[in-house]
Amino acid sequence: MGIIENIIENKERPDHFMNIQLSDHFTYKKLLRFTFPSIAMMIFTSIYGVVDGFFVSNYVGKTPFAAVNFIMPFLMILGAFGFMFGTGGSALISLTMGEGKLPRANRLFSMLVCVSASLGVMVAVLGVILIRPVASLLGAEGELLENCVLYGRIILAAIPAFMLQQEFQSFFITAERPQLGLYTTVAAGVANMVLDALFIAVFRWGVAGAAIATAISQCIGGVIPVLYFLRPNTSLLRLTRPVLDPRALLKTCTNGSSELMSNISMSLVGMLYNMQLMKHAGENGVAAYGVLMYVCLIFIAAFIGYTIGTAPVIGFHYGAGNHSELKSLLGKSLVIIGLFSVGMLFLGEVLARPLSLLFVGYDAGLLALTLRGFSIFSFSFLFSGIAIYGSGFFTALNNGLISAVISFLRTMVFQVAAILILPVFWGIDGIWVSIVAAEALAAAVTALFLAGNRKRYHY
């Protein structure tokens, strides 16, 4: 409770993160220091999702584990609007602050929080109605279908809070308080882990216990930031009386459309992967893909966290017309992303067996399938960071069109084409290769967009 009380009661003190301001010149060291909280926040969020999978797989069974992974893409589609408001709104707010208009920035911030919370309620109601027919349409039946519906309906109760949680991950950084976003995520994550162990391993509530634990943690992650920004605080942002600004709302949605598109597309592609895996390998294929996705979430989280962390800085310097700093930020970021990529490939290959054993060591056939997938899938980490960062970079420049095109090509075009074509030639291996091929193509397209817009944005 100490962390939560400090956040609510505004007892935070400046630390080494808070010596850094958006207007600063960023060296490699300062860039990594400033983005570390957002990277850690995203990785930690992914890790506590992995804990969900660990408890369900080892204490409830293979079919419930497959059900959680089967319905998760649909749930992520519904929660993706939080990313749109967070990234798109953060870009607009940081640009407004760079122009020296802090009161307007606070009005925009307050409006976006209210709009996203209201939208979350509507999305939750719609999701409860659609979840059974959607799961059935995707191929779930019998026990798998019932577990999908049970897990999904409990999670949907917390969708408004989940959308706010995703949104505030960006807003905390824009407010120059990235460490508070990390503290909130840690509080939510620890709650989820403890409740998973209690509800699943001790109370034996099965897949419902996993869903309740996750829903409670999402409420913690969504409500604490609201309480913080409602009170007097020392950050750059504060919740005030919201004023509807249709033009700014449209700009936010346009700016964040790439992140919305990316999340929806990834979820749709995830559904397609599950359908192909059910066809080629049955529930074992879906379970193996679930393990790979848990690990992928942790690795990709570093790229997403870095991108979220740098976006307000890029937006600020673009708004202030600091072209030399913008060029410096891009160059340094590409170097950092490149080093991350090589390191992740190495870790993916080294950790494949211990991570697979952790989740599916109880089933020899499933373990072998998962290890084979790992050995191919890990090469996607070499390319994925470039497209993720490139899309976020153009969002920060308030160019939602290019950002959306990169995200759309990466997921809906390249991955869909690959997952439909490559398994015809290589079977189950084609499914794993398709991820690598799609990420490589997306990286190439991103490089072309970055090169083609240098003169326009002076970076």
Side-chain angles (χ1 to χ4, degrees), residues 21-41:
Q21 297 179 331
L22 298 179
S23 57
D24 286 353
H25 167 68
F26 281 78
T27 61
Y28 280 106
K29 182 178 179 181
K30 186 175 288 188
L31 198 54
L32 289 171
R33 279 173 54 197
F34 188 76
T35 57
F36 173 78
S38 59
I39 294 172
M41 176 172 58

Side-chain angles (χ1 to χ4, degrees), residues 246 289 404:
Y289 180 64

Side-chain angles (χ1 to χ4, degrees), residues 114-175:
C114 289
V115 170
S116 59
S118 301
L119 180 63
V121 175
M122 292 186 285
V123 165
V125 173
L126 182 65
V128 169
I129 297 171
L130 293 178
I131 192 163
R132 181 176 288 275
V134 167
S136 182
L137 182 65
L138 292 173
E141 56 185 24
E143 184 185 355
L144 184 68
L145 174 60
E146 295 307 316
N147 279 313
C148 286
V149 174
L150 175 60
Y151 182 85
R153 283 182 172 166
I154 295 172
I155 292 293
L156 284 166
I159 278 289
F162 176 68
M163 287 174 58
L164 288 174
Q165 182 181 15
Q166 305 308 315
E167 185 174 3
F168 279 116
Q169 288 178 347
S170 294
F171 287 155
F172 268 125
I173 301 164
T174 306

Side-chain angles (χ1 to χ4, degrees), residues 45-78:
T45 300
S46 301
I47 288 174
Y48 78 71
V50 170
V51 172
D52 258 4
F54 168 78
F55 277 104
V56 172
S57 181
N58 286 278
Y59 288 89
V60 188
K62 182 168 64 177
T63 298
F65 178 61
V68 170
N69 292 290
F70 196 84
I71 200 60
M72 188 57 71
F74 174 67
L75 299 175
M76 292 306 295
I77 287 176
L78 299 182

Side-chain angles (χ1 to χ4, degrees), residues 228-293:
Y228 172 78
F229 284 111
L230 277 173
R231 297 169 61 88
N233 64 76
T234 59
S235 77
L236 295 180
L237 296 175
R238 185 182 172 189
L239 287 171
T240 59
R241 182 183 296 275
V243 178
L244 183 63
D245 186 336
R247 181 175 295 180
L249 184 59
L250 178 61
K251 182 66 174 176
T252 294
C253 295
T254 304
N255 285 344
S257 62
S258 58
E259 280 66 30
L260 177 66
M261 175 67 69
S262 179
N263 280 274
I264 290 178
S265 299
M266 287 174 65
S267 296
L268 291 173
V269 169
M271 293 178 183
L272 183 57
Y273 271 98
N274 283 331
M275 293 172 69
Q276 287 283 66
L277 286 161
M278 283 290 287
K279 176 182 175 182
H280 288 275
E283 286 186 11
N284 270 9
V286 176
Y289 180 64
V291 176
L292 296 185
M293 287 302 99

Side-chain angles (χ1 to χ4, degrees), residues 3 5 41 58 88 137 160 205 216 268 285 308 342 348 405 450 456:
I3 291 174
E5 289 170 356
M41 176 172 58
N58 286 278
L137 182 65
W205 288 353
I216 292 173
L268 291 173
I308 291 173
V342 174
V405 168
L450 287 171
R456 177 180 179 182

